[in-house]
Amino acid sequence: MDWSIVEQYFPLYQQAFFLTFHIAFWGILGSFLLGLIVSIIRHYRLPILSQLAGCYIELSRNTPLLIQLFFLYFGLPRIGVVLSSEVCATIGLIFLGGSYMAESFRSGLEAVSQTQHEIGLSIGLTPRQVFRYVILPQATAVALPSFSANVIFLIKETSVFSVVALADLMYVAKDLIGLYYETDIALAMLVIAYLLLLLPISLLFSWIERRLRHAGFGNSGTLSGK
């Protein structure tokens, strides 16, 4: 292994790492918010909006992120809308991730029994308060394993951002391979970078799941009464 090349490209990998993390952070945060809104619309079957939400989920889940990025980066400029590479990547990740988060939220909401809603109303809470303080926390606890899988999936999907000329981790790795033909070094640094990005997140979600179990949230989404 040529350590001089590693030393030369380490700052570029470092910059690409933080850029990837930055886009993934905002993309995943946006995915959670969009997914929550869409799941509420579908769970409560709001007229018209529920059908639109269903169409969005089908479109998002059945088209690759690569195609969505092409549309944002190359298609929109044809109608006068020009977005930067970073904005395209963030919007693409939100669009893709929102559908997966919506299904996770919806499964969690459906796992909470109607009794929980009735109990909340019986103690004087408004429907909004019941949802915020009773239903949503339990639904989130139930859906947490699915959230964890979705977050890791979305971070892995950032590897296609290089197609919109974004200097992410994959872009730097391909640059190193193209200039020096050092495939082994480039891929080794790429794998290490993604491990540093994904492993702490995986461990964090595992820790949160354990904490929730110890706090008394059962598999059914209700407090176990310990």
Side-chain angles (χ1 to χ4, degrees):
M1 179 178 290
D2 190 340
W3 290 102
S4 63
I5 296 179
V6 174
E7 184 178 357
Q8 176 184 347
Y9 265 78
F10 179 78
L12 294 178
Y13 270 93
Q14 188 177 38
Q15 293 175 10
F17 176 90
F18 287 111
L19 176 62
T20 302
F21 177 81
H22 174 77
I23 295 175
F25 174 81
W26 290 111
I28 291 170
L29 179 61
S31 298
F32 272 111
L33 296 177
L34 178 59
L36 177 60
I37 294 171
V38 172
S39 66
I40 292 173
I41 290 173
R42 298 198 74 197
H43 180 70
Y44 290 103
R45 296 180 174 84
L46 301 182
I48 301 177
L49 293 179
S50 181
Q51 287 77 14
L52 291 176
C55 292
Y56 154 68
I57 288 177
E58 293 302 321
L59 176 64
S60 174
R61 289 169 66 101
N62 291 289
T63 55
L65 178 59
L66 185 64
I67 303 302
Q68 297 168 11
L69 292 176
F70 277 159
F71 173 79
L72 291 170
Y73 192 71
F74 299 107
L76 290 183
R78 292 183 174 274
I79 59 173
V81 180
V82 180
L83 302 175
S84 67
S85 298
E86 189 171 336
V87 172
C88 286
T90 305
I91 293 176
L93 202 62
I94 292 174
F95 184 81
L96 176 67
S99 60
Y100 285 91
M101 295 301 181
E103 291 299 284
S104 297
F105 270 119
R106 191 162 72 102
S107 65
L109 291 173
E110 291 178 351
V112 181
S113 66
Q114 182 64 22
T115 305
Q116 297 290 306
H117 182 80
E118 295 170 356
I119 291 174
L121 294 177
S122 69
I123 62 175
L125 297 178
T126 65
R128 181 176 297 181
Q129 289 174 326
V130 171
F131 180 81
R132 179 178 178 183
Y133 298 113
V134 179
I135 305 300
L136 185 58
Q138 297 181 54
T140 302
V142 172
L144 189 62
S146 179
F147 290 148
S148 175
N150 289 340
V151 167
I152 293 174
F153 162 73
L154 291 174
I155 293 176
K156 291 178 180 178
E157 286 292 291
T158 62
S159 61
V160 304
F161 286 167
S162 59
V163 300
V164 292
L166 192 69
D168 65 339
L169 289 168
M170 183 63 72
Y171 183 96
V172 174
K174 290 194 294 187
D175 190 39
L176 177 54
I177 294 172
L179 288 176
Y180 297 102
Y181 303 99
E182 294 288 352
T183 304
D184 293 341
I185 296 177
L187 294 181
M189 295 178 71
L190 183 65
V191 169
I192 292 171
Y194 271 106
L195 279 176
L196 292 175
L197 190 60
L198 290 167
L199 188 58
I201 294 174
S202 178
L203 294 175
L204 175 62
F205 272 103
S206 297
W207 178 78
I208 294 174
E209 287 182 43
R210 291 196 299 271
R211 293 282 294 180
L212 287 175
R213 285 198 297 268
H214 292 159
F217 282 96
N219 295 330
S220 64
T222 59
L223 288 172
S224 60
K226 291 181 180 179

